[in-house]
Amino acid sequence: MGSSFEAGTVGYGAVAGIRKALMSVIFVCCGFAAAAESVVVAALGDSLTQGYGLIEEQGFVPQMRRWLAEQGADVRLINAGVSGDTTAGGAARVGWTLTPDVDAMIVALGGNDLLRGIDPAVARANLEAILAAAAAADVEVLLVGMEAPGNYGPDYKAAFDAIYPELAAAHDALYAQSFFDGLDAASDPEAALKLMQPDGIHPNAEGVALIVADLGPKVLELVQRASE
């Protein structure tokens, strides 16, 4: 991504910080208390986030919106998922995803890197750029992991699987082990298959509901962090 990307994100972070500070001064000087606003969360991802193969209301973001509302959370969740996107695509567009109103971000990328056999070091660098951009913009992050299949070999799997927990720890981001944990595929593979679309890659509406229920508490924790 290079120094130009990093410089851009740092510049944006400074502007965002100045903007927030000025707004606080305006409200104090005018004697008004700022009204509580919804926490704005951008879901940066690929087809899993975008809702591939499903009618809009069945996708991850709409189902997560409903789940959060049922918990009483005042959240505006933005669908920033792009089908086919890799970690490189996410890094390339994170700057314009992080608009001044965004308070937090869910990052769920890496599945397409796995499908293409992209070097784990490249995926790591891209995800690090995304987390650095979020930090520069003072945006809290939930990093959702992705686990490599065994057919790439143990070295590849170990290197790829380690990316997410290590980057989350390094950047003080919240961490969820896998987007698919809610499907419980390890203990009941046959049941998990029934929760997938015919392509075996994307969850069906019922599968998305289980994924949302599993990730929902982490998203609530993200919202709480962003509210502090």
Side-chain angles (χ1 to χ4, degrees):
M1 307 312 298
S3 59
S4 61
F5 176 82
E6 294 175 1
T9 57
V10 171
Y12 172 80
V15 171
I18 292 170
R19 175 182 174 276
K20 291 178 180 178
L22 286 174
M23 289 303 293
S24 298
V25 170
I26 289 169
F27 276 108
V28 170
C29 291
C30 294
F32 295 116
E37 295 181 354
S38 299
V39 174
V40 179
V41 181
L44 182 71
D46 49 32
S47 56
L48 297 174
T49 302
Q50 183 267 335
Y52 176 88
L54 301 169
I55 61 174
E56 184 176 356
E57 66 183 22
Q58 295 176 344
F60 172 76
V61 169
Q63 289 208 48
M64 182 62 80
R65 285 190 192 119
R66 291 195 294 273
W67 189 92
L68 291 168
E70 288 167 1
Q71 314 310 309
D74 187 7
V75 180
R76 181 159 68 90
L77 186 59
I78 299 169
N79 193 340
V82 173
S83 289
D85 222 0
T86 60
T87 56
R93 62 190 175 86
V94 67
W96 53 263
T97 299
L98 291 170
T99 56
D101 59 332
V102 171
D103 303 300
M105 184 166 63
I106 301 167
V107 178
L109 287 161
N112 289 307
D113 295 62
L114 287 174
L115 290 173
R116 301 179 188 187
I118 290 173
D119 185 341
V122 173
R124 178 186 285 268
N126 292 330
L127 288 168
E128 181 126 41
I130 291 169
L131 292 172
D138 194 24
V139 165
E140 297 288 347
V141 171
L142 167 60
L143 182 61
V144 182
M146 189 66 61
E147 297 179 339
N151 60 303
Y152 285 119
D155 291 343
Y156 184 102
K157 179 171 175 56
F160 195 95
D161 292 358
I163 292 171
Y164 298 88
E166 290 178 0
L167 286 183
H171 290 267
D172 191 29
L174 292 172
Y175 167 63
Q177 180 173 306
S178 172
F179 188 88
F180 294 106
D181 269 357
L183 302 185
D184 198 22
S187 63
D188 196 347
E190 288 190 15
L193 280 176
K194 296 177 182 177
L195 299 169
M196 303 296 286
Q197 296 180 41
D199 62 10
I201 297 174
H202 300 91
N204 58 28
E206 185 182 356
V208 171
L210 292 173
I211 289 167
V212 165
D214 181 69
L215 284 176
K218 282 289 188 182
V219 178
L220 280 178
E221 189 177 350
L222 176 69
V223 171
Q224 181 59 41
R225 272 198 181 193
S227 302
E228 294 173 350

